[in-house]
Amino acid sequence: MRILIVDDSTNSRLVLGGYLSAAGYEDLTLKASAAETFEYLGMNPGQEVRPDRADAILIDVMMPEISGIQACQRIKDAPSLKDIPIIMVTGHDEEKFLQDAFAAGAIDYITKPVNRVELEARISSALALKQETDLRKLAYQELENQLLQSQKMASIGRLVGGVAHDFNNVLTLMMGYSQLGLRELAAEHSLYEKLQQLLKASEHAASLTGQLLALSRRQSAEPKIINLNDLVADTCQMLGRLIGEDVELIVALSERTGLVKADPTQLEQVLMNLAINARDAMPVGGQLNIETGSVVVEDWHRNSQTEAPPGEYAMFALTDTGSGMSAEVQARIFEPFFTTKEEGKGTGLGLATCFSIVKENGGCLEVDSHPGQGSTFKVYFPKAQEEKMEAESPEDRREMPRGSETILVTEDESALRKLISSILQDQGYRVIQAKNGDEALQVARNVSEGTIDLLLTDVVMPRMNGTELAYQLKTVHPDLKVILTSGYTDQDLALPDLGAEAEFIQKPFTPAALADQVRAMLDSYTAAQ
Amino acid sequence: MTQESYRSYPDKVIVRVEPDLREIAPEFLSNARDDLRSLRAALNSRDFETLRLLGHSMKGVGDFGFEYLMEIGRGLERAAQTRNLPEAENLLHDMSSYLANVEVVFE
């Protein structure tokens, strides 16, 4: 820690320096005036400010030309220097200046003749304050970076969401027409197989847009059933670039690893943080081994701080050939802000983040390391049951439900509107089409026979959106049932509550799904009926 | 010890300083000697302001063994404030005597 002493009296500088030196402070700088101090700290025009040159400053109040208090004020006015604690040194009869000193930003004062023990105590306290301030600034910086990152992700998310919305419309068409086509062909027909392939491809595309949407919505943890090997394998592709050429990456995935229930982006984060630490432990290169496996845990390691119960776990482990860690260091590595890197190089938050992610997901994080022999980090997650995946079953050839009710279809994309209309008409419904909210209202007013039973409308439309249309139509047709469609999920849209008479279907949807939901909606009874 | 005793026993003055301050003691005295030269010059040109400022500085430092010099400083500040030339003379004389005969023991 660097201490700067400013006093115009030669012997004062000598003695203050001597006291601090005897107390063990080696990095002392003595300046005889405010002007010399400003020069030293780089405060003059044309200079580069040097906040690194002092962690605490002692300034004598009584100085010719520029007084100690003025000097204090000027230092505190400099943005990058304002966090350096300043202790004023005053004569016994100068205590009337104290109010001004504190107003100028000094955090403490000491009177002459300075008592050694008192000086040591006050300096020590000032330096502790500086250290805390520095750590807090680093943490803010880290948080700011994370915030920036998540804001970036949010705006990418919005972009992706918009693109996915358009894609989903197209995909609905592709899937819909493929399925309709397949219904008309016998399995032996030469086109059947081709249409099947077309359908499979569009389903794959739908899954990709789904993943894109999910990836861009990073804010909250979304546990999913994941194949741990797949996740590790995918992340390892990115890791290669992260760890550099001097580190050899060896990956061994066990077949028995299995499934876990966790947020995939969080797991990636853990893996990457551990890999970066491993890389940093091997500055001249080495080997990074990544393994996966399945373990039955009866008893955790003595020092793994975990509340996870014994049982079957899937795990991945990272082993490096780096410098290793002593037992004292190992005991502290998961502490926030603890770092073995030199000042300014690490925030000490990487492993703390890993620890909290693993804990949140019900797992355990263990470390095994010896100085000179490298380190192994093992991450355990509870194994998950295989959940029934949503039926991606091949198009079932059962009959789609039919009906004869009147359905008002509102959709601004005309190809999609035509498809939906033809699907419903094929199933016997009477379909009225409208390409936007205004047209729908007009058409509804002009309906000659009977009433409209169901409104099927896209949510995102220019001028009037689907929910607005639904509200307005319901004033005229109170028993109207509503199905809203969109490429966004209902959570993204924050739909106002339309009550039991409204439902949501997400694009892309299959004709069968549409027919099912329409039938179910029409068959449901409202409280009024 | 009072000024009187120094005037009476000019031959040797023993001063005790803590061992971990052994490095600054010689320089401290050397600086004091420089101060004496400046004080003499100020006295000769009746520069009471300089006398006062130097005296003020001196009184605020040295309580690790050189309390005597702090006393001199206090006296000089007062003398300069009251423009008491003869008193200032006497003090400089004492200071000179002290500096000539002081011996530091580290314990």
Side-chain angles (χ1 to χ4, degrees):
Chain A
M1 310 271 344
R2 316 184 72 170
I3 304 175
L4 173 59
I5 298 169
V6 185
D7 196 318
D8 58 319
S9 152
T10 316
N11 266 342
S12 282
R13 289 195 300 277
L14 175 71
V15 171
L16 286 174
Y19 286 172
L20 289 176
S21 179
Y25 296 100
E26 291 166 347
D27 198 332
L28 304 168
T29 304
L30 314 176
K31 292 292 172 191
S33 69
E36 273 179 46
T37 305
F38 298 154
E39 168 82 35
Y40 179 65
L41 293 174
M43 292 163 66
N44 295 326
Q47 282 190 301
E48 198 188 311
V49 180
R50 298 292 303 268
D52 59 300
R53 281 190 161 167
D55 294 307
I57 311 179
L58 283 161
I59 308 183
D60 183 31
V61 167
M62 273 305 170
M63 291 198 295
E65 280 156 60
I66 303 175
S67 76
I69 295 182
Q70 283 174 306
C72 176
Q73 185 70 70
R74 294 257 285 266
I75 294 171
K76 286 293 172 180
D77 285 342
S80 45
L81 299 175
K82 66 174 171 58
D83 290 324
I84 306 176
I86 297 181
I87 301 177
M88 302 305 297
V89 183
T90 86
H92 190 65
D93 46 7
E94 290 153 19
E95 285 174 350
K96 59 184 179 286
F97 293 114
L98 285 179
Q99 200 176 19
D100 297 332
F102 284 116
I107 56 139
D108 200 357
Y109 75 97
I110 190 167
T111 47
K112 287 179 171 177
V114 169
N115 175 296
R116 265 183 88 169
V117 172
E118 205 185 315
L119 178 66
E120 251 179 274
R122 291 180 195 273
I123 278 286
S124 163
S125 147
L127 290 172
L129 178 69
K130 175 74 173 20
Q131 194 149 39
E132 259 200 53
T133 311
D134 287 346
L135 280 176
R136 200 175 316 123
K137 288 204 294 208
L138 258 180
Y140 278 151
Q141 192 60 52
E142 173 76 22
L143 282 173
E144 210 180 4
N145 291 344
Q146 283 185 13
L147 180 66
L148 229 66
Q149 181 67 7
S150 68
Q151 282 174 336
K152 222 184 352 180
M153 293 304 284
S155 63
I156 292 176
R158 282 191 288 276
L159 180 69
V160 166
V163 171
H165 170 74
D166 293 343
F167 261 101
N168 280 335
N169 279 348
V170 172
L171 286 170
T172 307
L173 288 172
M174 288 170 67
M175 285 166 68
Y177 280 115
S178 309
Q179 285 172 332
L180 288 179
L182 281 168
R183 288 178 167 269
E184 291 180 35
L185 299 174
E188 305 78 38
H189 197 287
S190 59
L191 285 178
Y192 191 85
E193 175 61 24
K194 295 177 174 94
L195 274 180
Q196 279 256 320
Q197 289 302 324
L198 187 59
L199 180 63
K200 255 210 311 227
S202 42
E203 280 167 354
H204 183 58
S207 142
L208 280 176
T209 51
Q211 281 177 54
L212 268 177
L213 270 174
L215 190 73
S216 60
R217 273 192 285 113
R218 242 175 102 137
Q219 292 87 342
S220 48
E222 290 183 47
K224 290 190 175 59
I225 306 279
I226 314 167
N227 181 311
L228 192 59
N229 279 350
D230 286 347
L231 182 123
V232 172
D234 289 338
T235 315
C236 282
Q237 294 199 351
M238 271 189 282
L239 281 186
R241 260 170 289 145
L242 253 182
I243 60 178
E245 293 168 344
D246 297 325
V247 175
E248 191 191 349
L249 180 63
I250 301 176
V251 182
L253 308 176
S254 157
E255 281 175 356
R256 295 169 43 241
T257 308
L259 306 172
V260 301
K261 188 164 189 187
D263 181 318
T265 16
Q266 284 187 339
L267 287 207
E268 275 166 24
Q269 220 181 335
V270 171
L271 196 47
M272 296 213 293
N273 272 339
L274 292 176
I276 291 173
N277 278 0
R279 174 200 67 187
D280 292 339
M282 299 183 284
V284 292
Q287 216 181 61
L288 174 59
N289 260 290
I290 301 184
E291 282 177 55
T292 61
S294 166
V295 183
V296 172
V297 176
E298 267 153 47
D299 230 332
W300 294 108
H301 235 177
R302 229 176 313 114
N303 38 349
S304 27
Q305 306 145 15
T306 179
E307 288 144 21
E312 219 186 334
Y313 285 84
M315 72 100 181
F316 61 80
L318 283 84
T319 306
D320 65 64
T321 56
S323 37
M325 298 177 278
S326 68
E328 292 82 33
V329 171
Q330 275 181 67
R332 300 190 61 193
I333 44 175
F334 300 116
E335 261 175 50
F337 306 122
F338 177 78
T339 178
T340 56
K341 298 195 176 139
E342 32 174 82
E343 268 186 61
K345 289 275 188 291
T347 58
L349 291 172
L351 281 176
T353 310
C354 289
F355 186 81
S356 92
I357 288 176
V358 172
K359 190 161 166 204
E360 235 180 270
N361 285 288
C364 176
L365 178 46
E366 278 188 345
V367 57
D368 188 19
S369 177
H370 302 279
Q373 293 176 30
S375 311
T376 301
F377 283 82
K378 291 194 181 154
V379 183
Y380 299 85
F381 291 98
K383 278 210 178 171
Q385 308 295 358
E386 254 200 74
E387 274 180 5
K388 278 259 159 66
M389 308 292 270
E390 255 112 54
E392 260 181 58
S393 45
E395 170 69 358
D396 44 348
R397 303 197 116 237
R398 62 169 174 79
E399 282 298 310
M400 295 203 298
R402 301 180 60 85
S404 53
E405 289 93 333
T406 301
I407 303 178
L408 172 52
V409 174
T410 313
E411 166 63 59
D412 55 325
E413 239 237 64
S414 60
L416 194 55
R417 190 178 65 249
K418 287 203 180 82
L419 170 68
I420 294 174
S421 303
S422 76
I423 292 172
L424 293 173
Q425 277 164 345
D426 284 351
Q427 301 312 111
Y429 296 99
R430 177 173 163 231
V431 175
I432 307 175
Q433 297 187 34
K435 58 176 180 293
N436 57 48
D438 290 320
E439 202 178 285
L441 286 173
Q442 194 173 29
V443 146
R445 268 191 290 268
N446 297 342
V447 157
S448 46
E449 309 148 20
T451 182
I452 298 176
D453 299 296
L454 176 74
L455 168 68
L456 180 68
T457 175
D458 192 16
V459 173
V460 179
M461 292 188 297
R463 284 199 306 277
M464 187 191 306
N465 69 35
T467 15
E468 178 60 35
L469 172 61
Y471 274 124
Q472 291 212 24
L473 270 178
K474 278 170 87 70
T475 59
V476 184
H477 301 266
D479 295 330
L480 181 70
K481 310 253 175 59
V482 178
I483 295 181
L484 303 162
T485 75
S486 178
Y488 298 98
T489 66
D490 57 351
Q491 274 164 353
D492 291 334
L493 291 170
L495 294 171
D497 193 17
L498 280 169
E501 292 107 48
E503 265 187 21
F504 181 83
I505 184 172
Q506 200 190 335
K507 294 179 197 170
F509 45 75
T510 63
L514 177 65
D516 283 345
Q517 197 152 356
V518 163
R519 189 68 256 155
M521 196 57 188
L522 285 166
D523 288 342
S524 71
Y525 289 96
T526 64
Q529 290 178 330
Chain B
M1 289 213 182
T2 64
Q3 288 169 268
E4 260 61 60
S5 38
Y6 282 130
R7 282 194 192 131
S8 317
Y9 304 98
D11 295 320
K12 203 182 307 228
V13 180
I14 309 261
V15 153
R16 287 183 173 73
V17 169
E18 278 167 68
D20 60 356
L21 297 174
R22 75 188 320 127
E23 286 181 14
I24 62 170
E27 203 178 328
F28 188 86
L29 289 172
S30 154
N31 288 334
R33 286 180 189 108
D34 289 340
D35 285 345
L36 181 57
R37 275 189 281 276
S38 307
L39 285 163
R40 270 235 169 275
L43 186 76
N44 291 343
S45 50
R46 282 157 177 57
D47 181 356
F48 288 108
E49 185 53 17
T50 303
L51 278 176
R52 185 188 71 79
L53 283 172
L54 277 172
H56 180 87
S57 266
M58 280 171 65
K59 84 172 184 191
V61 67
D63 68 341
F64 58 103
F66 301 106
E67 288 78 359
Y68 183 70
L69 287 170
M70 294 170 71
E71 278 296 323
I72 301 271
R74 223 165 310 206
L76 278 169
E77 189 184 29
R78 261 195 311 266
Q81 277 164 343
T82 55
R83 300 178 84 85
N84 187 340
L85 219 44
E87 180 60 17
E89 279 268 15
N90 284 339
L91 288 164
L92 287 191
H93 182 265
D94 291 343
M95 186 173 169
S96 174
S97 187
Y98 172 90
L99 287 172
N101 294 301
V102 68
E103 202 179 288
V104 186
V105 166
F106 296 101
E107 57 184 44

